[in-house]
Amino acid sequence: MSLVLQEPQTEWQGENLSEEAYPEHASARRAKRGILGHARELFRLRHDKSTSRVGLAAACFVGLFSLIGGRLVYLAVTSENTSEVRRAASSEISAARPDIVDRNGEILATDVKMVSVFAEPRNIIDKDEAVELLTAVLPDLDATDLRNKLGTKKGFVWVKREITPRQQAEVHRLGIPGIGFLPENKRIYPNAEAAAHVLGFANVDNVGIAGMEKYIDSMGLQDLNGAGFNISAADLKPVQLSLDLRVQHALRDELAKGMAKFKAKATAGAILDVNTGEIIALVSLPDYDPNNPVDALDKDRINRINVGVFEMGSTFKALTVAMALDSGKYNINSTFDARSGLRYGKFTIGDYHATRRVLTTPEVFVHSSNIGTARMALGIGVEGHKAFLRKMGQLSRLETELPESALPIIPPRWGELNTMTIAFGHGLAVAPLQALMAVGALVNGGVLIKPTFLKRTEAEARQSALQVIRPETSEAMRYVMRLNASVPEGSASSAAIAGFFVGGKTGTAEKVINGRYSKNKNLTTFTAVVPADKPKYVFLTIMDEPQAVEGTYGFSTAGWNAGPVTGNIVERVAPLLSVPPRFEAPSQPFPLMSRLGAWGSNR
């Protein structure tokens, strides 16, 4: 009965009793009960506790993702591998180059965007599998070389530079960890071989190796890249050259035809604006494609106009005649004895086409008399001769924007015999471009203007020009050069294209083979002035070892090959250079020569 009537004791009642019985433990029990109780209460499925549960879960997730995000940021900033990739990418972006354009704005060289494949060897798990997969989609890769690259501990190596979009898609589809892509700038030359020797080329890292490409780097581009500046082609002003792409194509085409016709080993040509010093066109054949410059180092593919040095033969007689006239010791009516050979010790100098008579100054030039020009040089003297050639820029290296240039070959001991032979173009070897520069000064009024491959005005050119001969001497030189093309006995008649009032001079020099002159290997040259009364351009054509062919009657001298080739060039490109044909001869083109009654002025 008492058990039935006994009231059950609840948990809290027991606790209350316990607290009353043991008041010293009450505070500790309440703290423990508070923490556990709140936790139990929080996760009980009660509607009034849902907000707290969501808040705690959100806080946990925020903390977790903040930890992961922080770690990723840390790895991105401090990872050695990623830093190397970033540095490589930065380097490629900064390697952009400015466009190169011709004088009319036509693109000669430009950048295009390409993609290259790189690897992070430390992140590649199965290197053999990676090699097998990559060589399957990029078959030109060397498997051994690639395996060696991936076997290193480097953080960055190139797999293949400049791949196609299809190749990029195939490599991407492989999904190999540690393989990625970087954008690069590739240099493109849309006109292939045109102007190759002037433009030069850039390597796979877009660094200029030769020609104007190397010049651009030397003007500060590489310094900017080295300093870490991220520049694009859009940030750089195009480099405008003096070349005319239309004329360049025409010159190359005519030289190629002449090379084939006369079976020459090589040929070259250039066109110079005599008033500005601008090179309008320059070709040296055989040449190469700067898009794939594997042949650029072939010894036969050098830039013969700027890098080669040659004995220029009789074209050098123009300098000798100008020296004689400008000295005041001789004039246009002076005479020179060419009745017999000129002896000097055991040597005798003779004429190729001997006249065996006394010649006037114009006749010495027209008949290309070795004897007459040798006598002129002897009359001036060794030191006077050297001083004149030095003033004309023939005894020192000609420096232009092109990094490639050559020193002239000067006799170590220059005596009277050297002066006699150099007077008619033997014994002194120069770069054809410096000879062309000198001829430009002979006909433009006597002003020596340093050639340039950059577009400029006549006023800009004259700022650094040097007056080297008198204007009267310049008129005399224009006169004798025109006479040489207009009279039957003149050697330049093969280039006298009707309507363009051409003047010119041929030159044939025996090549030096193993230290001796070869009797059957010639270097022929032709220099033409257009128009001769008021020159605008000088044309130079060189043919290396041309052969006698049908129609040349067994001759291989300049009048039979370099001369007619130059005539074809003049006829084709003069209209492009705003020199239209004139079929009525100018009245009084050389007034001073007419007043002096120079030989041939009444013809």
Side-chain angles (χ1 to χ4, degrees):
M1 188 70 177
S2 61
L3 291 173
V4 174
L5 296 175
Q6 185 179 4
E7 186 177 346
Q9 182 176 338
T10 63
E11 181 181 354
W12 65 269
Q13 288 174 328
E15 287 178 355
N16 288 339
L17 291 174
S18 178
E19 288 176 4
E20 292 174 0
Y22 303 99
E24 67 273 14
H25 300 299
S27 61
R29 285 195 297 270
R30 279 196 300 270
K32 182 178 179 181
R33 184 187 61 196
I35 296 172
L36 294 175
H38 279 90
R40 284 195 298 269
E41 289 294 316
L42 179 64
F43 288 100
R44 281 181 184 168
L45 296 177
R46 290 174 54 183
H47 181 268
D48 60 336
K49 298 295 184 180
S50 62
T51 302
S52 300
R53 288 196 296 269
V54 171
L56 179 62
C60 291
F61 276 109
V62 169
L64 178 63
F65 281 105
S66 296
L67 181 64
I68 295 172
R71 180 60 178 169
L72 291 175
V73 170
Y74 173 78
L75 290 174
V77 172
T78 63
S79 170
E80 182 180 352
N81 295 351
T82 306
S83 296
E84 289 191 43
V85 173
R86 189 169 63 253
R87 284 196 298 269
S90 175
S91 173
E92 297 307 331
I93 292 171
S94 67
R97 306 181 65 80
D99 288 348
I100 301 178
V101 300
D102 82 335
R103 65 186 304 106
N104 301 312
E106 296 293 331
I107 293 289
L108 300 177
T110 190
D111 280 354
V112 296
K113 291 295 182 182
M114 299 291 288
V115 171
S116 294
V117 187
F118 72 90
E120 299 172 85
R122 287 187 294 227
N123 291 339
I124 296 178
I125 300 171
D126 190 336
K127 294 177 173 53
D128 290 331
E129 181 188 28
V131 170
E132 183 179 352
L133 292 173
L134 288 170
T135 53
V137 298
L138 302 173
D140 54 339
L141 286 178
D142 184 282
T144 303
D145 180 60
L146 181 58
R147 187 173 286 104
N148 291 336
K149 286 182 178 180
L150 299 185
T152 66
K153 294 183 179 181
K154 294 181 178 179
F156 177 92
V157 294
W158 287 116
V159 174
K160 182 173 174 57
R161 310 290 291 272
E162 299 170 356
I163 62 173
T164 65
R166 174 174 291 183
Q167 289 174 324
Q168 181 185 5
E170 291 175 349
V171 173
H172 180 73
R173 198 175 296 118
L174 297 176
I176 305 173
I179 299 295
F181 305 97
L182 278 179
E184 290 198 271
N185 295 300
K186 179 178 173 62
R187 200 61 163 171
I188 293 295
Y189 305 90
N191 298 288
E193 296 88 352
H197 284 107
V198 176
L199 294 173
F201 56 92
N203 65 11
V204 70
D205 294 312
N206 234 20
V207 175
I209 299 299
M212 292 301 296
E213 294 284 26
K214 189 172 182 178
Y215 165 78
I216 291 170
D217 284 356
S218 71
M219 296 305 291
L221 181 62
Q222 282 304 307
D223 293 337
L224 288 174
N225 293 336
F229 288 94
N230 290 334
I231 53 178
S232 65
D235 299 323
L236 301 168
K237 182 180 179 181
V239 177
Q240 188 166 36
L241 303 189
S242 58
L243 300 183
D244 187 317
L245 184 58
R246 304 167 304 166
V247 178
Q248 185 77 23
H249 276 297
L251 176 61
R252 186 180 187 277
D253 185 50
E254 292 299 332
L255 287 175
K257 290 177 183 177
M259 184 176 171
K261 179 177 180 179
F262 297 105
K263 302 176 182 178
K265 174 183 176 182
T267 184
I271 302 173
L272 172 76
D273 185 318
V274 300
N275 298 310
T276 65
E278 295 171 298
I279 303 298
I280 304 301
L282 185 152
V283 174
S284 183
L285 299 177
D287 53 14
Y288 61 91
D289 185 349
N291 292 299
N292 185 31
V294 291
D295 299 324
L297 297 179
D298 189 319
K299 65 178 182 179
D300 284 335
R301 298 177 191 272
I302 66 168
N303 178 357
R304 284 172 168 77
I305 297 294
N306 205 58
V307 177
V309 289
F310 308 99
E311 294 183 356
M312 296 299 291
S314 294
T315 53
F316 232 59
K317 289 173 182 172
L319 291 175
T320 305
V321 172
M323 174 184 67
L325 294 174
D326 206 60
S327 69
K329 188 171 183 178
Y330 303 101
N331 59 51
I332 198 68
N333 293 316
S334 296
T335 58
F336 302 88
D337 189 355
R339 290 174 294 182
S340 61
L342 178 60
R343 293 188 61 83
Y344 188 91
K346 62 179 181 179
F347 299 99
T348 301
I349 294 172
D351 288 340
Y352 187 71
H353 294 291
T355 57
R356 304 192 184 281
R357 62 183 178 85
V358 174
L359 301 175
T360 63
T361 300
E363 288 178 297
V364 168
F365 192 85
V366 168
H367 291 287
S368 198
S369 173
N370 296 338
I371 299 170
T373 49
R375 290 192 184 280
M376 289 179 184
L378 280 177
I380 300 301
V382 173
E383 293 306 317
H385 190 200
K386 289 168 67 175
F388 182 80
L389 293 178
R390 185 176 296 108
K391 180 174 65 173
M392 300 300 294
Q394 303 304 294
L395 302 185
S396 59
R397 185 194 301 270
L398 174 61
E399 295 182 353
T400 65
E401 293 83 10
L402 296 187
E404 305 83 17
S405 60
L407 278 168
I409 300 175
I410 303 169
R413 296 185 183 88
W414 190 323
E416 287 189 338
L417 182 60
N418 300 103
T419 279
M420 293 165 67
T421 59
I422 291 171
F424 53 83
H426 290 265
L428 174 65
V430 301
L433 187 58
Q434 33 187 165
L436 187 64
M437 171 185 69
V439 174
L442 298 185
V443 300
N444 72 358
V447 180
L448 187 70
I449 301 174
K450 187 177 178 180
T452 182
F453 291 90
L454 298 173
K455 187 177 182 181
R456 70 180 175 194
T457 64
E458 184 174 346
E460 292 170 337
R462 297 275 172 166
Q463 289 177 359
S464 58
L466 179 66
Q467 189 80 36
V468 288
I469 60 173
R470 293 177 290 117
E472 296 82 3
T473 303
S474 181
E475 181 183 322
M477 294 311 302
R478 297 196 296 271
Y479 171 73
V480 296
M481 293 185 82
R482 172 57 188 167
L483 199 63
N484 194 37
S486 60
V487 299
E489 55 266 54
S491 60
S493 57
S494 59
I497 303 301
F500 294 106
F501 210 65
V502 178
K505 185 72 186 77
T506 56
T508 303
E510 295 174 349
K511 291 183 67 176
V512 178
I513 307 295
N514 298 323
R516 301 178 66 89
Y517 285 104
S518 172
K519 296 296 182 183
N520 56 1
K521 292 183 178 180
N522 293 333
L523 182 89
T524 63
T525 60
F526 193 95
T527 305
V529 182
V530 179
D533 58 329
K534 293 181 180 179
K536 291 185 177 180
Y537 301 98
V538 177
F539 294 69
L540 174 65
T541 301
I542 298 173
M543 305 207 77
D544 192 350
E545 298 183 21
Q547 306 299 309
V549 297
E550 184 179 358
T552 65
Y553 307 99
F555 294 102
S556 61
T557 50
W560 295 98
N561 43 66
V565 169
T566 306
N568 294 338
I569 294 169
V570 170
E571 186 174 27
R572 183 168 174 180
V573 309
L576 297 176
L577 297 172
S578 301
V579 183
R582 300 176 297 173
F583 294 103
E584 292 185 5
S587 61
Q588 292 295 317
F590 310 105
L592 178 60
M593 296 299 102
S594 297
R595 289 200 304 271
L596 295 175
W599 181 88
S601 60
N602 57 350
R603 292 195 175 193

